[in-house]
């Protein structure tokens, strides 16, 4: 029991998060990332909902009419009024072949008080069953238009989903940059504090030398200026740290008062640009890229958009074709004294109504129709030109990113060498100063140069880590 109590009241152990754990937490907590995921799901659902016109439709109705119009249909037989009770049921379904099927059932009862002569018309019932079918033989030929719409919607949905994926990647890149900025400010503060401590030691040493009459007051003022400059740099770094922490909190969407998780990372750990590239294996029908070419995700989206625009133009072309529709209908009729009896006999085919028809429609090629067809074709051409341009920009971006990364690697190597030299120089100047063999100005300059060199190296490494993150925007399509 004692061990249980200790376990319950023991403080929580916190672990420092690395970059991957931090990005995973951003994906799970950031509402924008969650919104992008919901939007991708919505795009899939919109793709499915495009077949809403193929959903079966059931209709049902009931009506009661009381007619005392002296010009009514039974008024000539001296009926004082007419009462009609009607019930109907209908079903329709369009198939992916473009075939439309309809079924109907109807039952009605008529009351005509006061009818003279034809007693059977005073009260009687009717019933009927019907079936109809129609098929386009030109426009939307056997579902060609439906297939076009499905293909176009599929491309449009894929492009929409990848655009949301691109926005999600860009948010993660920004989140990663905030992560590296935070580590940079942590390192900057550490360097600033070390530099401040060294400056204070030089200032204390100089103060003693001035009191001993070995150094001049100007030397003391110079070292005091160095301490003040180091303090200013530390204050600036602490301000940057506060801003960096707030940026991390915003990406993690932490509540007010919640503690920021501890972050761990090493800005010296480089990553190969190719390791950041996502490999895409697109579904059947999406554009394939020969040779597994590295490209911007945005450029690949533009290729999908071209296919969607071309299919949209084909849709409009199909929609404005002349239409030739073959249709047929068959309906039974039953008549009896009551509505139930009449409807019970509605399956009889003794007195049916049959109809077969062939209807042709044509929309004239006026200015409006030609403009509608021309506009979508021009959209498709424009999308092709934009895609070609984005492919060129993609190749240039990948080449430039590699060039800059290589150049930055060389700069880091040189900055590292400079830092080591400046640290050795500062150490040597300090030793000479302690032996009284150099002036204060030389020590101060060496200390400043060493601090600047070390901070510059960290900044260059951080810049390269941020640059590597840009690789997330590139994909290889297999």
């Amino acid at each position: 029991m004692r061990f249980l109590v200790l376990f319950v009241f023991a403080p929580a152990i916190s672990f420092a998060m690395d970059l991957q754990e931090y990005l995973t937490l951003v994906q799970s907590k950031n509402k924008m990332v969650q919104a992008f995921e919901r939007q991708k799901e919505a795009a899939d659902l919109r793709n499915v909902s495009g077949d809403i016109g193929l959903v079966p439709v059931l209709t049902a109705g009931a009506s009661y009419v009381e007619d005392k119009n002296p010009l009514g249909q039974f008024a000539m037989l001296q009926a004082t009024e007419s009462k009609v009770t009607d019930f109907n049921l209908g079903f329709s379904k369009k198939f992916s072949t473009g075939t439309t099927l309809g079924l109907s059932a109807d039952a009605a009862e008529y009351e005509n008080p006061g009818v003279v002569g034809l007693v059977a018309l005073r009260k009687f019932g009717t019933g009927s069953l019907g079936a109809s079918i129609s098929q386009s033989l030109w426009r939307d030929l056997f579902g060609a238009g439906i297939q076009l719409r499905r293909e176009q919607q599929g491309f449009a949905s894929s492009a929409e989903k990848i655009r949301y994926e691109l926005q999600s990647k860009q948010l993660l890149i920004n989140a990663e940059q905030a992560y590296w900025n935070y580590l940079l400010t942590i390192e900057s503060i550490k360097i600033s504090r070390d530099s401040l401590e060294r400056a204070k030691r030089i200032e204390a040493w100089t103060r003693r030398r001035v009191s001993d009459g070995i150094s001049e007051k100007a030397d003391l003022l110079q070292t005091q200026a160095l301490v003040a400059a180091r303090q200013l740099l530390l204050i600036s770094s602490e301000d940057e740290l506060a801003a960096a922490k707030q940026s991390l909190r915003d990406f993690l969407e932490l509540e007010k008062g919640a503690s920021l998780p501890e972050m761990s990372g090493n800005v010296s750990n480089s990553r190969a640009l190719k390791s950041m590239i996502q490999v895409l294996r697109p579904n059947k029908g999406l554009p394939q890229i020969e040779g597994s070419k590295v490209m911007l995700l945005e450029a690949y989206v533009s290729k999908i958009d071209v296919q969607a625009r071309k299919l949209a133009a084909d849709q409009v072309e199909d929609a404005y074709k002349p239409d030739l529709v073959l249709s047929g209908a068959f309906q039974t009729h039953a008549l009896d004294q009551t509505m139930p009896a009449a409807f019970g006999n509605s399956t009889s085919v003794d007195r049916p109504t049959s109809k077969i028809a062939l209807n042709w429609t044509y929309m004239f090629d006026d200015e409006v129709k030609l403009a509608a067809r021309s506009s979508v074709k021009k959209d498709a051409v424009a999308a092709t030109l934009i895609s070609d341009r984005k492919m060129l920009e993609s190749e240039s971006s990948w080449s430039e990113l590699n060039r800059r990364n290589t150049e930055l690697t060389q700069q880091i190597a040189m900055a590292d060498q400079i830092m080591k030299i400046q640290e050795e120089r500062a150490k040597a100047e300090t030793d000479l100063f302690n032996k009284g063999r150099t002036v204060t100005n030389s020590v101060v300059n060496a200390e400043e140069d060493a601090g600047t060199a070390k901070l510059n190296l960290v900044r260059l490494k951080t810049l390269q880590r941020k640059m590597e993150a840009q690789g997330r925007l590139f994909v290889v399509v297999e």
Side-chain angles (χ1 to χ4, degrees):
M1 186 67 177
R2 183 182 63 180
F3 294 109
L4 178 62
V5 173
L6 289 175
F7 175 77
V8 172
F9 288 98
I13 301 176
S14 60
F15 297 93
M17 290 192 302
D18 60 17
L19 174 61
Q20 191 56 48
E21 292 169 337
Y22 161 71
L23 293 179
T24 301
L25 190 59
V26 170
Q27 288 178 306
S28 65
K29 294 182 69 66
N30 191 280
K31 290 184 175 58
M32 287 302 298
V33 176
Q34 296 172 16
F36 294 144
E37 291 301 317
R38 301 294 87 75
Q39 287 172 321
K40 286 193 286 185
E41 293 171 3
D44 279 331
L45 293 175
R46 276 193 293 274
N47 188 24
V48 176
S49 67
D51 280 336
I52 190 68
L54 303 182
V55 174
V57 177
L58 181 66
T59 60
S63 64
Y64 174 76
V65 179
E66 187 173 338
D67 186 10
K68 296 183 180 181
N69 185 355
L71 299 179
Q73 59 178 335
F74 293 102
M76 300 296 292
L77 300 177
Q78 299 184 6
T80 58
E81 61 179 337
S82 294
K83 299 178 182 179
V84 182
T85 302
D86 181 78
F87 298 94
N88 60 79
L89 188 66
F91 173 84
S92 64
K93 172 74 169 78
K94 184 175 182 179
F95 297 90
S96 59
T97 58
T99 307
T100 301
L101 174 67
L103 300 174
S104 64
D106 187 85
E109 187 170 83
Y110 298 83
E111 294 184 39
N112 304 293
V115 170
V116 177
L118 297 175
V119 179
L121 295 180
R122 291 182 181 177
K123 183 177 181 181
F124 64 93
T126 62
S128 68
L129 295 175
S132 64
I133 188 171
S134 67
Q135 175 68 58
S136 175
L137 303 178
W138 198 334
R139 183 195 305 169
D140 190 20
L141 176 62
F142 294 106
I146 295 174
Q147 185 61 32
L148 272 176
R149 184 205 57 75
R150 285 177 172 175
E151 291 181 12
Q152 190 277 333
Q153 185 64 43
F155 279 109
S157 176
S158 296
E160 186 179 6
K161 288 167 58 180
I162 295 178
R163 284 192 178 94
Y164 291 134
E165 177 70 17
L166 179 60
Q167 293 181 59
S168 181
K169 284 178 177 292
Q170 188 60 63
L171 188 145
L172 289 179
I173 289 173
N174 295 337
E176 182 175 341
Q177 289 177 343
Y179 170 86
W180 293 120
N181 283 336
Y182 172 76
L183 294 183
L184 172 62
T185 54
I186 292 292
E187 191 66 25
S188 177
I189 287 176
K190 181 180 178 181
I191 294 172
S192 298
R193 285 176 178 166
D194 291 343
S195 298
L196 178 60
E197 289 300 320
R198 287 196 299 271
K200 287 181 176 179
R201 287 196 295 270
I202 294 173
E203 190 260 345
W205 178 257
T206 306
R207 186 182 298 277
R208 286 196 298 270
R209 289 171 63 88
V210 171
S211 63
D212 293 339
I214 301 174
S215 296
E216 300 295 332
K217 186 175 181 181
D219 295 331
L220 177 60
L221 293 174
Q222 189 172 17
T223 57
Q224 289 175 340
L226 176 63
V227 171
R230 290 288 181 260
Q231 289 175 334
L232 178 60
L233 182 61
L234 179 59
I235 292 173
S236 178
S237 298
E238 289 175 343
D239 178 67
E240 291 176 359
L241 177 61
K245 284 184 176 180
Q246 185 58 49
S247 182
L248 291 179
R249 295 179 65 87
D250 290 341
F251 279 110
L252 293 173
E253 296 194 5
L254 298 177
E255 296 181 359
K256 188 176 181 180
S259 59
L260 179 70
E262 185 180 349
M263 305 288 172
S264 67
N266 189 348
V267 295
S268 298
N269 294 335
S270 62
R271 298 166 292 179
L273 286 177
K274 288 188 176 181
S275 68
M276 308 299 293
I277 298 174
Q278 179 185 2
V279 178
L280 288 182
R281 295 177 176 85
N283 297 328
K284 183 179 179 181
L286 291 182
Q288 305 293 317
I289 308 299
E290 296 182 1
S292 299
K293 190 175 184 179
V294 177
M295 65 173 64
L296 282 168
L297 188 57
E298 184 181 5
Y300 184 64
V301 173
S302 70
K303 280 193 165 292
I304 300 176
D305 193 51
V306 168
Q307 300 297 326
R309 299 281 185 173
K310 288 181 178 179
L311 288 171
D314 292 341
Q315 275 187 284
V316 172
E317 191 71 28
D318 183 73
Y320 290 150
K321 284 181 180 178
D323 200 7
L324 186 64
V325 178
L326 177 65
S327 62
F330 182 86
Q331 187 172 15
T332 64
H333 301 282
L335 179 67
D336 212 315
Q337 294 180 347
T338 62
M339 178 173 60
F343 188 72
N345 295 326
S346 62
T347 56
S348 173
V349 294
D350 295 339
R351 291 169 289 182
T353 298
S354 301
K355 178 183 177 181
I356 186 169
L358 189 64
N359 296 307
W360 180 73
T361 57
Y362 174 76
M363 182 185 295
F364 287 97
D365 292 332
D366 65 354
E367 183 179 355
V368 176
K369 177 181 174 181
L370 294 175
R373 295 166 64 181
S374 179
S375 65
V376 290
K377 289 180 180 179
K378 290 183 182 296
D379 283 341
V381 173
T384 302
L385 294 173
I386 291 173
S387 178
D388 292 342
R389 176 62 188 176
K390 287 189 178 295
M391 286 300 296
L392 289 174
E393 293 176 352
S394 175
E395 293 178 5
S396 177
S397 297
W398 177 242
S399 176
E400 179 64 12
L401 186 62
N402 279 273
R403 186 197 66 78
R404 290 179 59 202
N405 186 59
T406 302
E407 180 68 24
L408 201 51
T409 301
Q410 295 174 353
Q411 292 179 21
I412 290 173
M414 183 58 65
D416 184 60
Q417 185 177 350
I418 292 173
M419 182 201 69
K420 291 177 180 177
I421 293 172
Q422 293 293 0
E423 286 183 339
E424 289 296 325
R425 175 194 165 204
K427 184 178 179 181
E429 288 288 348
T430 302
D431 290 340
L432 290 174
F433 183 73
N434 292 336
K435 296 175 182 178
R437 296 171 56 186
T438 187
V439 295
T440 307
N441 186 59
S442 297
V443 180
V444 171
N445 289 337
E447 278 293 328
E448 289 181 343
D449 292 342
T452 301
K454 190 171 184 179
L455 190 57
N456 184 53
L457 176 61
V458 175
R459 284 174 176 166
L460 286 175
K461 288 181 177 179
T462 304
L463 181 59
Q464 189 174 49
R465 301 295 83 77
K466 293 179 183 179
M467 185 181 298
E468 292 163 355
Q470 296 296 319
R472 300 180 189 274
L473 298 178
F474 291 85
V475 295
V476 171
V477 183
E478 293 185 349

